[in-house]
Structure formats: C-alpha cells, structure tokens
Amino acid sequence: MLRTLTSALLLTALPALAIEPAVVEKIHKDTTPSLVAVQYTWESEVGKRELVAAGLVVSSDGLVMCSIAVTPVQMPDEQMKDFKILLPGDEQKEIDATFLGRDERTNLAFIKAKPQSAAKEKDAKDDKKSPAATTWKPVKFEDVPVAVGDTVVSVGALPKTASYQSYAVKAMVSANLRGETRHVLVTNEGLAAVGSPVFNAKGQAVGWVGYQQGQRWILNDPNPDNQLSGVYSPPRTFIPTKEFAISLSDPPTADKPLAVAWLGVAQMTGVKKEVAEWLGLENQAAVNVGDVIAGTPADKAGLKSKDVIVKLDGKPLERGDEPDEAAMILMKRMKQLKAGTEVTLTVIPESDPNKPQKDVKVTLAARPKQESQAKRFYAEDLGFTAREVVFDDTYRRKLSADQKGVVIALIKPSSAAQSGKLERNDLVTKINGTAVTDVDQFKTAYQALRKDKPREAIVLEAIRGGSDEIIRIEPPQ
C-alpha cells in the first residue's frame, strides 16, 4: 500500500470532476438528519467514563453503525453500559439503545434504538418539544466505484463542544489502494471526521470514513487540543461500500451474536517473490500455511503446515502491494463467509513444486469465544480481576483445550494483588489448595475464604509462561 500511496500523491494536479456548490449543499442538507452521536458508559474495575462517538443511521428502524474503534474488541462486552443515541439539534434528544455487537469482518459496530413504551409515547405526545416517535432517515450505501479525478463529498459531525453540528468537505480521489481492506485516497481538503459517509457527484453514498491511525474518534474529548483534530488534520482515506456491504445486509443482533467464520490456521504469511518463482508462481499471489491447530476445520480437512495456498474456490488469490497482504486478504475473505460454509483451497503440498496441486475442501466453523466475551469477576478487596479461560489462553500455552481455571485479566496498581506478585495472564488452577474449575466456582470459593478468614492470606497456584507459580496475597490489615 505504501508504494501505491507514494505514487498517488503525484496525482494531486489532476483536474477534479467538479461538484457544484448547490450539490454539496443538498448532500449536506439531506445527510444531516442521518448523523447521530452514540453515547455509552465504560464501567471498568478502576472507574467509569462516558464516551461519545459519531454514528450513522442505516435503517428506518433505528439501526446505527459506527467505527469498531468506538467499542474496541479488547473492551469486555459486560463493561459497556447505558447506550444512548443522541439526536443533534437545538433541542438534543436522547434515545435509549441496545448494543448489538462488533463486526470484525468489516470493523464496524452496531447499536439500535429501543422501542418506546406506550407510556413514553403518551408523555412524548403531551410534550410538544418531543415528538411521539422518532422518524429515522437512513443513508443507503451503493456499490459504485470511484475513479481518480472524481470529486467526493463527505459529511461528518463536529464534537460535543460544537453541539455535534454537521459539516461537509469536498475532496478529489487520487488513488484506489489495495490491501486487507481496500481504501480510496483523497487529496485537497481531505475528508470529514471518522464516521462520515462519502458521496459522489450524483449524491450516491459510495463509502465511509473508518478509523485510521492518528485520528480521534471521541466527540467528548476533554482535551481542547483534540476536539477539532479531525478538522485541522482530516482523514485522507475512506472505505468503499463493497468492503462493508456484508455488515449492512447481515448485522449482528441482540439475541444472536455474530459468528465469525474460522479456518483454524495460525501464522499464515504471503509467499515472497523469490519463493514464488521457485514454485512456478510468477506474478501470482500465494500464502504459506503456518500452524494448523489440532481439531480445527483445517486439521479435519487435511490441510498441513507448509502447504502453499494458491486459489480460493477455484479463483487466484487477491494481490496486495506487499506479499503478506495476500495472507491478510485471504483471511478476511474467509472471515466474511458464514460459519458452516464449505470452501475449496487449492494448495501446493508442503511447498514442493514437484508435487501436483490438490484441492482441499474445508467447512469453516464459528471462531471460539474471545477474551472480550469471557465472564469476569472483580476481587475488589485484593485488587484483581479473574476471567474464564478461552481458546487463545490454552493455545498460546500449548495446554489441553479443556484446561480448567481462571485467567488474571487485571491487576489494580498499589493493590494487595500487586504486592503479592500476581501478574496479568497468570492462569490460576488452585485457590488455597482447592482446584479451580471456572470463574463462577472461583468467585464462590474466593468470597467464602474472604468472609470466613478475612485476615488470612489467599494462596493461588498458577501457570505463568512455562512454569508453575505459587502466589501468596496478604490482605490489608
């Protein structure tokens, strides 16, 4: 992508496909009702923080999408509370909302307005300032390509200090970039802030300004220097509709979390040019298979470490600007499929050019539970958080998939747990000599010990790295 970006910057002198001021004004006016702010409380073990970010209405029933940066995948689901959709305007309105989930296929997150109760609707009818029902105006994205020289208009939201007012920015397309996620590069004035829809000269919504490095997405940042950073140092790329259309047609729902398709291979890498030529793959993207995890779809299908993948479902792999981008693109394309889908991988067995290519049929499974979805228990008196064991914990440590215990997720600074040398990522298997099975059993045992023997130490047996540790935590006296 870097080479493409460098060459693209040379195109700034190309004449743009002009958009008249009246068209920009119309796009801004039509889009403004679709721009909202998403607010929620992040309630962690060490405190609370209210966060507000830009959101965009994408369906008439109050479905709102925003950047996954707003609710990063590292943040535990249970710590995000009290979601609200804020309708900008002179009389700002708050609407209770439900967090539907994060879609890692496209780096989007989704929130939906809760239905108003009959009582609330009656109160709203009696209050002339607040209409009984909210009329949602969605943006309809279209898969329409843009070309170098085209002019585009993005419409975004200013921060809380500016009452989330909308603003429009006009820019020129200078390149279409390849990579794990395709991006469109613009020059001139850049784009509106993260979370802004992008329109072409016909007024069609052709893309979205996703999170990018160096950009602030928080609309209620208390630091005055950051509040208008998106205006003074605007984003320069947007994501075309084709890259996130799957999320709009198949978003997560409150009663059914999104199941991300999973192959079961770790450390896939792109084949370097010299190796590709040795394999007879000149000018063709290819991917090295790394560790095939036992019991996964890849393992059951017979895929082997050191195999080289050259096709997906009979089609050559997509190229990036760097060899390793081919691996990232392949993993993303499979992520966008549904769990249970059968794919055919054409491979060169064991990287041996003398062996004929063969097809390996793999039925993708749902990815195992992630750390952010794990149940947690905060031992506030001693200052640590324990969570349930997930697949990544056992895989990294090369332990059995049914390993019992809990994993330490947080150590509070200056706490008894820190003084006792407990460490984050310790896998606790015993508490005061009693085997730990899961987080609920650990919570029960811990609370019983602290209640019955509040002055006695808690002794934890844990796996740390490749060794066993004994951790003694003395409670505050």
Side-chain angles (χ1 to χ4, degrees):
M1 181 181 287
L2 290 176
R3 287 199 301 270
T4 308
L5 183 61
T6 302
S7 60
L9 292 174
L10 301 176
L11 301 172
T12 57
L14 288 176
L17 198 67
I19 299 181
E20 296 298 325
V23 176
V24 176
E25 182 182 6
K26 185 177 187 307
I27 290 173
H28 173 257
K29 181 179 178 180
D30 291 345
T31 307
T32 295
S34 304
L35 302 177
V36 299
V38 173
Q39 174 184 292
Y40 72 96
T41 301
W42 176 23
E43 190 174 311
S44 71
E45 294 88 343
V46 295
K48 294 182 180 181
R49 184 180 180 187
E50 189 177 89
L51 298 173
V52 182
L56 185 69
V57 179
V58 291
S59 77
S60 57
D61 59 354
L63 181 66
V64 172
M65 79 175 193
C66 56
S67 170
I68 201 171
V70 177
T71 57
V73 292
Q74 300 86 354
M75 186 181 290
D77 291 1
E78 64 184 49
Q79 292 185 356
M80 297 181 292
K81 301 179 180 180
D82 300 327
F83 277 84
K84 295 183 185 298
I85 296 172
L86 311 182
L87 304 183
D90 294 335
E91 298 172 353
Q92 289 186 14
K93 182 179 178 183
E94 292 185 358
I95 297 175
D96 291 338
T98 301
F99 176 57
L100 303 183
R102 295 167 280 230
D103 190 345
E104 295 175 57
R105 300 173 300 178
T106 55
N107 290 330
L108 293 175
F110 288 88
I111 296 92
K112 189 172 184 180
K114 290 182 179 178
Q116 288 184 306
S117 67
K120 283 186 177 181
E121 288 191 9
K122 182 180 182 304
D123 291 342
K125 288 178 182 178
D126 295 338
D127 182 1
K128 294 181 180 179
K129 294 182 180 179
S130 182
T134 300
T135 301
W136 301 99
K137 185 178 180 182
V139 168
K140 299 294 185 184
F141 286 95
E142 299 182 56
D143 183 8
V144 178
V146 293
V148 171
D150 287 354
T151 298
V152 293
V153 176
S154 52
V155 183
L158 292 169
K160 183 178 181 179
T161 51
S163 300
Y164 310 120
Q165 289 186 61
S166 61
Y167 70 110
V169 182
K170 186 168 68 171
M172 186 190 75
V173 173
S174 60
N176 284 284
L177 308 179
R178 299 183 300 189
E180 180 183 3
T181 298
R182 297 182 184 91
H183 284 75
V184 178
L185 177 72
V186 304
T187 54
N188 307 108
E189 291 83 3
L191 298 159
V194 172
S196 305
V198 181
F199 301 85
N200 63 12
K202 296 180 179 179
Q204 297 168 301
V206 296
W208 154 268
V209 182
Y211 173 74
Q212 42 207 272
Q213 190 172 4
Q215 291 295 321
R216 303 288 297 177
W217 55 265
I218 300 174
L219 296 182
N220 64 332
D221 196 316
N223 185 345
D225 294 336
N226 294 332
Q227 290 171 0
L228 290 174
S229 61
V231 177
Y232 299 137
S233 300
R236 293 288 177 180
T237 65
F238 69 88
I239 303 169
T241 300
K242 185 175 183 180
E243 292 294 297
F244 58 87
I246 186 173
S247 287
L248 301 179
S249 61
D250 179 34
T253 60
D255 57 344
K256 187 179 180 182
L258 196 65
V260 177
W262 191 54
L263 179 64
V265 175
Q267 297 96 37
M268 286 206 295
T269 57
V271 175
K272 306 297 182 186
K273 179 182 177 181
E274 297 77 10
V275 178
E277 291 175 351
W278 176 67
L279 293 171
L281 300 173
E282 291 84 355
N283 299 317
Q284 184 177 343
V287 171
N288 292 306
V289 175
D291 183 24
V292 177
I293 301 167
T296 63
D299 180 45
K300 293 175 182 177
L303 199 65
K304 303 294 184 185
S305 178
K306 297 184 181 180
D307 284 350
V308 174
I309 302 172
V310 295
K311 292 182 182 179
L312 172 62
D313 288 332
K315 298 179 181 179
L317 302 185
E318 295 180 49
R319 299 180 65 90
D321 290 318
E322 300 292 338
D324 278 344
E325 288 184 338
M328 294 187 289
I329 294 170
L330 174 62
M331 288 188 284
K332 180 164 185 177
R333 295 293 171 255
M334 286 193 285
K335 243 188 207 182
Q336 293 177 336
L337 300 172
K338 287 186 175 293
T341 301
E342 183 182 80
V343 297
T344 300
L345 301 175
T346 302
V347 305
I348 298 175
E350 300 175 348
S351 307
D352 188 343
N354 297 315
K355 292 184 177 180
Q357 296 182 10
K358 68 175 184 178
D359 288 342
V360 178
K361 294 185 180 297
V362 186
T363 300
L364 302 175
R367 188 181 62 183
K369 180 184 285 189
Q370 299 295 289
E371 181 179 333
S372 63
Q373 301 166 317
K375 293 178 65 174
R376 298 163 73 94
F377 163 62
Y378 180 39
E380 185 174 6
D381 51 353
L382 298 188
F384 69 90
T385 295
R387 62 165 175 80
E388 68 177 307
V389 177
V390 297
F391 168 79
D392 284 345
D393 299 317
T394 56
Y395 174 72
R396 285 196 302 264
R397 295 171 174 82
K398 301 189 181 303
L399 299 172
S400 169
D402 59 357
Q403 172 69 46
K404 306 297 183 183
V406 294
V407 174
I408 302 303
L410 177 141
I411 305 292
K412 189 175 181 179
S414 303
S415 63
Q418 186 181 58
S419 299
K421 307 301 182 184
L422 187 64
E423 293 185 7
R424 189 176 181 275
N425 288 325
D426 282 350
L427 197 162
V428 177
T429 56
K430 288 185 179 182
I431 177 170
N432 283 33
T434 300
V436 176
T437 57
D438 56 36
V439 70
D440 290 329
Q441 181 262 347
F442 178 81
K443 175 181 177 180
T444 300
Y446 176 88
Q447 290 178 334
L449 286 168
R450 297 294 294 126
K451 180 180 179 181
D452 297 340
K453 301 175 181 179
R455 293 183 176 275
E456 291 191 14
I458 294 288
V459 180
L460 304 176
E461 297 181 37
I463 300 172
R464 179 183 298 168
S467 61
D468 296 331
E469 300 286 337
I470 304 292
I471 302 104
R472 183 182 179 88
I473 304 175
E474 296 286 350
Q477 300 298 320

